[in-house]
């Protein structure tokens, strides 16, 4: 697998997966649970890089989190077994201080993991060929069909980099051809910072009527049962697996519907990462610098309506598609924690440093806390009232959302349960949004595989997946002992 820079004027880079001599950009890899992954990463960027497999349970050596970056010109072997449940996982660079720029440049790949339950669901949906699709949705600043390079202002670094157009697996104005019947979509929000409120509309040009769909799964695979929905929030790095019946329709547009993005904090600064000074940017000036407002012509605020892609339905309308199965997976129970007090984390805003976890800027050599191998814990993650939504991500382990409190109105209205959980909280998660003034309780199980690779201390990270926040130090390391 080669990581290289393509046209620097467009600010685009790509992963080129070298598959037996065939070079594929924007790779979508498919593995069965239990398969071995075996690749060599060659870094042809002018900056350090790593590849992190987001959502997979890997040893520290294979997690690619940036403890050991791959220098320009160097290579690294990646070898592991895919042990996770079937689901949509993904991979992207994670060298601290360069993550946002490299991901924005297009260094994103998808990994679809399948297993017997996943195959049984496809069979039950009687999916036509081409009706199962995995898509990475991202936003970029586009003018005249060209991408503007990544050059964030201080304002962009504080709130995140927002574009004006959607890219789907790297393409603008994506049309996805499908045929009548069920369509199964596995969608990743690969944006640096933009939250999406995913909705499907028919006749979108005349305002449109929304087409309901079914939530099948979340970050870490299938739910126990499908949940009917009309719209779901999908923040950076979150995934959804959905089924939508397109029978008898011609064209359905996926949009991010307008919502209040809850950016409450203003006028802060973000810490600048010193490692940045030693390497050139991928395209023009890409360092968070004070001054300069926003690239206003190419900026669409977070929460504004944004068209994502269009499903164009072909083929003759046949018989009605089969009913959705009532059970679709044996979702593991949320681990019951011991009676120990929850581990508390606070997401704070400070005008001098921007957003931080527990008021502590990231340091590569710091370990915020250690957990015992096999321990079960409850984490209480609280966002301050003067803040913005933070999609918080945990490396190494999926978790379950137990409860939300203090959720703001429009999100709260999507909750189906007295626990305040949203439909997207009902499955295995590795990234979860925490809105301002909200508190989440998460159940974690730190059981690691028994292989040699996982022996000894393993370091992982917990961070905000708004990538400007991640590079801006909203990250902590923890260790499993
Ligand atoms: Cu998607 Cu720490 O990463
Ligand atoms: Cu990750
Ligand atoms: Cu954040």
């Amino acid at each position: 697998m080669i990581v290289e820079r393509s046209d620097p004027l467009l600010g685009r880079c790509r992963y080129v997966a070298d598959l037996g001599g065939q070079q594929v950009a924007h790779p979508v890899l498919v593995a069965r649970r239990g398969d071995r992954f075996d690749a060599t990463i060659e870094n042809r960027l002018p900056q350090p890089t790593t590849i992190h497999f987001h959502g997979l349970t890997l040893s520290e050596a294979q997690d690619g989190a940036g403890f050991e970056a791959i220098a320009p010109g160097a290579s690294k072997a990646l070898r592991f077994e895919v042990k996770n449940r079937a689901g949509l996982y993904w991979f992207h660079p994670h060298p601290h201080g360069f993550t946002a720029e490299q991901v924005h440049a297009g260094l994103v790949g998808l990994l679809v993991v399948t297993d017997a339950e996943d195959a049984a669901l496809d069979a039950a949906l009687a999916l036509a060929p081409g009706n199962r699709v995995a898509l990475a949705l991202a936003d970029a600043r586009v003018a005249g069909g060209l991408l503007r390079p990544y050059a964030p202002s201080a304002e962009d670094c504080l709130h995140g980099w927002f574009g004006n157009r959607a890219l789907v697996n790297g393409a603008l104005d994506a049309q996805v051809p499908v045929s009548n019947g069920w369509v199964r979509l596995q969608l990743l929000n690969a944006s640096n910072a933009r939250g999406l409120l995913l909705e499907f509309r028919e006749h979108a040009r005349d305002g449109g009527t929304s087409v309901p769909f079914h939530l099948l799964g979340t970050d870490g695979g299938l739910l126990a049962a499908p949940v009917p929905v009309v719209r779901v929030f999908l923040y950076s790095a979150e995934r959804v697996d959905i089924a939508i019946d397109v029978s008898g329709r011609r064209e359905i547009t996926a949009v991010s519907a307008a919502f209040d993005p809850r950016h409450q904090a203003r006028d802060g600064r973000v810490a600048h990462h010193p490692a940045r000074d030693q390497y050139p940017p991928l395209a023009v000036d890409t360092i968070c610098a004070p001054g300069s407002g926003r690239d206003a012509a190419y900026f669409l605020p977070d929460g504004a309506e944004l068209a994502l892609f269009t499903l164009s339905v072909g083929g003759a309308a046949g018989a009605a598609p089969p009913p959705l199965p009532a059970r679709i997976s044996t979702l593991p129970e949320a681990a019951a924690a011991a009676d120990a007090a929850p581990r508390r984390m606070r997401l704070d805003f400070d005008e001098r440093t921007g957003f931080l976890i527990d008021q502590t800027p990231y340091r590569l050599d710091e370990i915020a806390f250690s957990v015992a191998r096999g321990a079960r814990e409850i984490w209480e993650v609280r966002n301050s009232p003067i803040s913005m939504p933070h999609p918080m991500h945990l490396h190494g382990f999926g978790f379950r959302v137990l409860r939300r409190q203090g959720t703001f109105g429009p999100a709260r209205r999507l909750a189906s349960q007295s626990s305040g959980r949203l439909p997207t909280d009902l499955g295995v998660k590795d990234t979860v949004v925490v809105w301002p003034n909200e508190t989440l309780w998460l159940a974690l199980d730190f059981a690691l595989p028994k292989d040699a690779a996982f022996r000894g201390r393993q370091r992982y990270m917990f961070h905000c997946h708004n990538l400007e926040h991640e590079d801006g130090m909203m990250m902590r390391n923890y260790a499993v002992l």
Side-chain angles (χ1 to χ4, degrees):
M1 184 173 294
I2 301 166
V3 178
E4 70 178 3
R5 172 164 66 179
S6 51
D7 185 347
L9 290 176
L10 302 185
R12 296 298 286 168
C13 298
R14 51 197 175 129
Y15 281 119
V16 181
D18 195 327
L19 308 170
Q22 225 203 341
Q23 307 235 308
V24 186
H26 274 285
V28 181
L29 308 179
V30 181
R32 257 187 101 81
R33 186 176 192 175
D35 278 356
R36 308 264 334 156
F37 185 88
D38 190 337
T40 304
I41 310 159
E42 265 180 63
N43 182 10
R44 296 190 187 163
L45 301 175
Q47 301 176 343
T49 196
T50 66
I51 295 184
H52 167 57
F53 276 79
H54 182 125
L56 293 191
T57 298
L58 296 175
S59 65
E60 173 185 323
Q62 300 289 317
D63 186 51
F67 290 112
E68 279 177 70
I70 310 165
S75 320
K76 184 191 167 178
L78 260 189
R79 273 190 199 107
F80 56 81
E81 184 190 327
V82 177
K83 296 174 189 287
N84 292 67
R85 301 177 80 217
L88 177 64
Y89 300 90
W90 63 299
F91 47 103
H92 62 80
H94 213 292
H96 187 54
F98 302 90
T99 300
E101 181 186 10
Q102 293 185 9
V103 171
H104 178 268
L107 291 169
V108 167
L110 300 177
L111 174 68
V112 178
V113 177
T114 64
D115 64 7
E117 278 179 344
D118 179 86
L121 174 58
D122 282 0
L125 297 175
L127 291 183
N131 276 23
R132 176 169 177 175
V133 189
L135 303 173
L137 316 174
D139 62 338
R141 296 183 188 178
V142 178
L146 296 180
L147 297 168
R148 312 270 301 162
Y150 181 76
S153 66
E155 177 81 353
D156 291 325
C157 289
L158 182 64
H159 294 278
W161 170 268
F162 299 99
N164 60 343
R165 298 281 299 281
L167 295 177
V168 175
N169 289 357
L172 283 168
D173 298 317
Q175 298 268 340
V176 181
V178 294
S179 11
N180 272 288
W182 287 113
V183 172
R184 182 174 173 192
L185 298 172
Q186 290 180 288
L187 306 175
L188 157 73
N189 183 346
S191 305
N192 279 36
R194 182 177 295 279
L196 302 174
L197 179 53
L198 180 70
E199 191 180 308
F200 290 87
R201 294 199 193 136
E202 206 178 10
H203 312 298
R205 272 177 222 101
D206 332 303
T209 43
S210 43
V211 180
F213 56 103
H214 299 264
L215 185 70
L216 302 174
T218 56
D219 306 346
L222 295 174
L223 303 177
V227 181
V229 288
V230 175
R231 54 187 75 86
V232 292
F233 278 107
L234 187 68
Y235 272 80
S236 297
E238 289 188 298
R239 287 90 72 204
V240 284
D241 191 336
I242 65 171
I244 180 163
D245 178 7
V246 302
S247 306
R249 307 183 197 265
R250 309 260 321 246
E251 205 175 76
I252 297 174
T253 304
V255 299
S256 180
F259 66 96
D260 171 2
R262 308 285 288 172
H263 289 229
Q264 318 275 36
R266 301 258 165 263
D267 302 328
R269 273 164 182 272
V270 170
H272 168 71
H273 198 270
R276 294 246 24 153
D277 301 337
Q278 301 159 32
Y279 297 94
L282 296 181
V284 301
D285 185 19
T286 58
I287 293 164
C288 291
S292 60
R294 272 182 152 146
D295 198 355
Y298 315 102
F299 168 77
L300 186 71
D302 194 19
E305 182 163 317
L306 178 68
L308 301 171
F309 62 89
T310 300
L311 298 173
S312 350
V313 187
L324 282 180
R327 309 301 299 174
I328 53 178
S329 90
T330 44
L331 178 67
E333 289 292 314
D339 299 325
R343 195 182 284 281
R344 296 205 161 84
M345 280 163 227
R346 295 291 177 266
L347 313 180
D348 302 301
F349 173 68
D350 181 289
E351 282 175 5
R352 285 153 307 149
T353 47
F355 297 104
L356 296 176
I357 301 169
D358 289 330
Q359 303 187 347
T360 312
Y362 183 68
R363 271 186 34 208
L364 197 66
D365 59 355
E366 184 219 38
I367 294 188
F369 55 88
S370 298
V371 302
R373 201 169 280 261
R376 294 171 165 190
E377 297 195 351
I378 306 281
W379 286 14
E380 181 191 296
V381 183
R382 184 180 161 75
N383 195 354
S384 78
I386 305 302
S387 188
M388 60 175 276
H390 297 293
M392 300 305 297
H393 169 53
L394 184 74
H395 283 217
F397 302 88
F399 55 81
R400 303 295 301 278
V401 179
L402 298 177
R403 191 151 73 90
R404 282 181 189 266
Q405 199 176 73
T407 311
F408 81 110
R412 175 80 190 137
R413 279 194 286 282
L414 299 182
S416 53
Q417 304 208 333
S418 57
S419 60
R421 296 193 300 173
L422 313 178
T424 42
D425 292 332
L426 302 179
V428 175
K429 296 290 291 171
D430 56 56
T431 309
V432 71
V433 62
V434 190
W435 278 287
N437 205 29
E438 197 182 33
T439 306
L440 261 66
W441 286 267
L442 311 175
L444 295 106
D445 180 350
F446 291 99
L448 276 174
K450 293 196 168 48
D451 327 346
F454 290 90
R455 279 203 203 114
R457 180 187 78 162
Q458 302 289 323
R459 288 174 301 170
Y460 296 102
M461 295 173 175
F462 179 59
H463 64 84
C464 180
H465 219 290
N466 176 316
L467 297 180
E468 282 70 36
H469 294 179
E470 176 179 342
D471 279 343
M473 315 292 185
M474 194 177 185
M475 176 152 79
R476 306 288 309 268
N477 300 325
Y478 72 98
V480 183
L481 302 178

